[in-house]
Amino acid sequence: MSQLVLAVLISGSGSNLQAIIDAIEAGTLNARIACVLSNNPDAYGLQRATRHRLPVEIIDHRSYPSREQYDAELRRRLEAIAPDYIVLAGYMRILSAEFVRAFEHRILNIHPALLPAYKGLDTHQRALDNGETEHGVSIHLVTAELDDGPVLLQASYPIENGDSVADLRTRGQRLEHQMYPTVLRWISENKLIIDDHGQIHHDQTLLDNPLQFSA
């Protein structure tokens, strides 16, 4: 097992950040969070990081006239940290293609839907509007295309009559908080390997389809 060095990017409450912190502190995830970085100075997740004495960086996107200039500064800060993986945990900005190329195959994201279905925002409402009977969560590699990278792990849950957006969000977040630490633990244990071509190997076997998570 090797200790993963992580940079966690957040924009809001940081509940997935907290799940990762909890796993590290419980000894079930061999990782170190080298930095928690946010584009939002008011993100509650920054308070979580401070409580656990984690280094914090704030790069307010409103201070930059273009996405490219913001991403250039973000890249500079992250290259100084040199993380093994960049973990997007509720980071609500689309990363430029140039930024993604700089950290190719090293950026993970969690998405509240069963990709490739329901890319983008408002996934819960769209699933309800379309009368879906199930919904879910996906952890994937980030590519230049929105929510389009290879999916490492998925979990599904049923949509029940009368469910609201809040019901789906609660159900999905319960899974998210288990899935992110699990994927990172598998990577640290070399059970899940992302090679230089962005292909995913699980237990030395090339992964053709996403792994399925059961709580």
Side-chain angles (χ1 to χ4, degrees), residues 110-131:
I110 194 159
H111 184 72
L114 293 170
L115 293 173
Y118 298 108
K119 299 176 182 181
L121 300 174
D122 302 320
T123 65
H124 305 310
Q125 186 63 63
R126 288 155 60 200
L128 291 171
D129 290 345
N130 289 337

Side-chain angles (χ1 to χ4, degrees), residues 124-125 128 160-171:
H124 305 310
Q125 186 63 63
L128 291 171
E160 301 170 358
N161 289 334
D163 272 345
S164 66
V165 166
D167 293 325
L168 300 192
R169 183 179 296 114
T170 297
R171 211 167 293 150

